[in-house]
Amino acid sequence: MSVVGSPPPPCRSAVFCNAECEPSASPAAENLRFSMLCGINAARLYGSRKRLVLRGGRGWWNSLKPVKAKDDDDAGSNHGRKCSVMSNENVKPIKAMVDSDSSWNENSSSFSSKNLCEVSNVGNSTNILWHDSPIKKRDRQQLLQQKGCVIWLTGLSGSGKSTLACALSRSLHARGKLTYVLDGDNVRHGLNRDLSFRAEDRSENIRRIGEVAKLFADAGLICITSLISPYQKDRDACRALLPEGDFIEVFIDVPLHVCEARDPKGLYKLARAGKIKDFTGIDDPYEPPSSCEIVLQQQQGNGFKSPCDMAEIVIAYLEEKGYLRA
Ligand SMILES: Nc1ncnc2c1ncn2[C@@H]1O[C@H](COP(=O)(O)OS(=O)(=O)O)[C@@H](OP(=O)(O)O)[C@H]1O
Ligand SMILES: Nc1ncnc2c1ncn2[C@@H]1O[C@H](COP(=O)(O)OP(=O)(O)O)[C@@H](O)[C@H]1O
C-alpha cells in the first residue's frame, strides 16, 4: 500500500479515470490548468470528464493533499471510488474516479491507493503504467448479450475434460453464445511449450492460463479451460484473479481406475511402466476441489452421464446465475 507523501521511490505518476473539475471550482474542465498543479511537471486531460494523467518528479506527491474519498454511487463500476485531491490550498480541487481499491484513512489523514501510484513495478517489469480502455467489459457484454466468465474444468487425465469442453462450447455456440476453449494439451503446444510437468511448471502453466482466461472473460467471452490443474492453491489463485462468481470451478469426478481403464492416449500404461515420470494420479498428486461450484460424477445408475448431459448441467448453472444474458 502506498501513501501520498511517502510513495515508493520509483512511483512518479497517477491516473485518474473520469476526471472532472468541481463545478464550484471551475465551469469547464478544459479551463483547469493541470500543469500548474504545484510540483507537477506535466499533466494531460483528455476531454472534460475523461482521463487525467499526472506525472511528476520525485517529491510531487508531497504537494498533493487529499480532501475526501468516498464510494462512488454513479460510477457504474464495481471497483469505482470517487475522490478529490488538491495540490495545495491555492489550487482547485479535482474530482477523480480511481478504478480500484483506494481508501481514505481518516486516522492518518492520508490517501492510500495502489491506483494513485499507477507507475509501478510488477515482478520484473519496472515503471509500467496501466492504460484504461474507453470500451468497458459491460459494453462488450452488452454487444454479446452474455456475461464474461471462466468455466474451469479440472480432473484427472482421461476424466473427460476435453470432451466436456467441446460439448459445452458446441451447445453454447448453438445458443448464440461466444466461447473459447483453452485446453492444456493445446496451450502446451505454444504459449506454454517451455513448461514441463514438474510441480513448479504445472503451477506456472495454470497461472498463465488463468491470466489468459481472465482476459477472455474481460473480453466478455465464456472461457472454458480444460486442464488437469491438480493443485488446489493454483486453482484458488486463478479464482482470485476474477470478480466474485465469475470463476466457475467444475470438478469432473471420475475415479483413477476408470480413467486408467479408458487410457485413450496410452499414457497411464507408460506411467505404470515408469516410462513417464510425475504422472498425475500415479506418481504426482491430484488434489480434488474442497469446494467448487459444480461436481460432475459420471456414474448414473450403471452407466455414465453423457457429455451432452453434463454440458446441460453446466449450462443450467450459467442460465441460473445470469451469464447467458447481458
Ligand atoms: N506427467 C503428466 N501428467 C499428466 N498429464 C500429462 C503428463 N505428461 C503428459 N501429459 C499430458 O498432458 C495433459 C495435461 O496437461 P495439463 O496442462 O492439463 O496439465 S497440468 O494442469 O499442468 O497438470 C494430459 O492431457 P489430458 O489427458 O487431456 O488431461 C496428458 O495428455
Ligand atoms: N461422459 C463420458 N462418458 C463416457 N466416456 C467419456 C465421457 N467423456 C469422455 N469420455 C471418454 O473418456 C476418454 C477421455 O476423455 P477426454 O475428454 O480426452 O479426457 P481428458 O481431456 O480429461 O483427458 C475419451 O476416450 C472419451 O471418449
Side-chain angles (χ1 to χ4, degrees):
M1 197 105 97
S2 44
V3 177
V4 169
S6 53
C11 178
R12 298 194 303 279
S13 173
V15 174
F16 304 102
C17 303
N18 298 328
E20 60 179 341
C21 59
E22 287 279 6
S24 58
S26 168
E30 289 86 343
N31 294 340
L32 260 185
R33 301 286 300 278
F34 290 108
S35 58
M36 288 176 64
L37 288 178
C38 179
I40 296 169
N41 297 337
R44 289 179 290 159
L45 178 65
Y46 303 104
S48 60
R49 194 182 192 284
K50 288 214 175 108
R51 178 182 163 88
L52 167 68
V53 180
L54 303 177
R55 296 183 206 280
R58 196 178 284 252
W60 72 270
W61 288 94
N62 296 330
S63 64
L64 283 177
K65 183 181 162 208
V67 292
K68 71 179 180 207
K70 62 182 179 65
D71 284 332
D72 183 32
D73 299 331
D74 59 0
S77 157
N78 291 338
H79 310 300
R81 270 172 181 271
K82 195 173 270 181
C83 69
S84 295
V85 291
M86 292 170 105
S87 63
N88 64 28
E89 262 97 85
N90 302 323
V91 179
K92 290 157 186 153
I94 303 159
K95 259 207 284 183
M97 265 285 303
V98 180
D99 257 358
S100 68
D101 50 27
S102 313
S103 60
W104 167 245
N105 185 335
E106 297 282 357
N107 298 330
S108 66
S109 292
S110 62
F111 184 82
S112 57
S113 160
K114 70 174 190 225
N115 276 52
L116 260 183
C117 200
E118 278 283 337
V119 167
S120 49
N121 302 336
V122 180
N124 291 330
S125 296
T126 53
N127 299 309
I128 50 172
L129 175 68
W130 183 267
H131 289 278
D132 246 338
S133 160
I135 304 297
K136 304 287 181 209
K137 183 179 183 184
R138 62 175 175 273
D139 303 316
R140 297 186 283 269
Q141 294 185 149
Q142 201 61 41
L143 194 71
L144 295 168
Q145 285 299 299
Q146 62 186 54
K147 290 197 186 81
C149 62
V150 175
I151 302 174
W152 192 276
L153 308 181
T154 174
L156 289 167
S157 175
S159 58
K161 302 182 294 298
S162 309
T163 309
L164 175 58
C166 289
L168 254 177
S169 59
R170 208 179 294 118
S171 191
L172 286 167
H173 188 82
R175 292 169 195 233
K177 303 301 167 194
L178 189 58
T179 62
Y180 196 82
V181 175
L182 293 170
D183 188 281
D185 267 327
N186 295 358
V187 180
R188 281 174 176 277
H189 278 77
L191 176 67
N192 290 349
R193 68 193 316 157
D194 56 322
L195 302 177
S196 74
F197 285 92
R198 287 199 313 268
E200 59 271 30
D201 278 4
R202 288 188 200 252
S203 292
E204 177 60 9
N205 180 40
I206 302 312
R207 189 192 71 78
R208 287 183 200 172
I209 295 179
E211 291 283 357
V212 174
K214 174 188 165 181
L215 296 178
F216 276 117
D218 190 52
L221 274 72
I222 298 171
C223 181
I224 303 163
T225 66
S226 168
L227 304 148
I228 298 177
S229 42
Y231 312 136
Q232 173 92 49
K233 69 169 177 29
D234 297 335
R235 297 190 301 262
D236 288 348
C238 293
R239 176 185 291 275
L241 293 172
L242 284 137
E244 182 82 32
D246 289 1
F247 184 89
I248 300 154
E249 193 173 351
V250 180
F251 175 33
I252 309 188
D253 186 9
V254 178
L256 178 64
H257 72 270
V258 176
C259 296
E260 203 169 346
R262 289 178 179 170
D263 203 8
K265 303 171 194 161
L267 298 179
Y268 282 101
K269 204 165 165 219
L270 292 172
R272 287 288 185 199
K275 291 179 181 160
I276 299 180
K277 297 288 178 212
D278 302 327
F279 198 83
T280 306
I282 307 297
D283 55 353
D284 209 65
Y286 178 81
E287 300 167 2
S290 49
S291 82
C292 63
E293 282 68 18
I294 302 173
V295 179
L296 295 172
Q297 278 158 333
Q298 293 214 333
Q299 216 76 38
Q300 192 182 49
N302 292 328
F304 291 102
K305 279 198 193 84
S306 74
C308 286
D309 288 347
M310 289 184 171
E312 283 313 310
I313 293 171
V314 178
I315 289 172
Y317 180 92
L318 294 177
E319 194 103 64
E320 187 201 324
K321 299 289 179 187
Y323 284 96
L324 302 185
R325 53 183 184 273

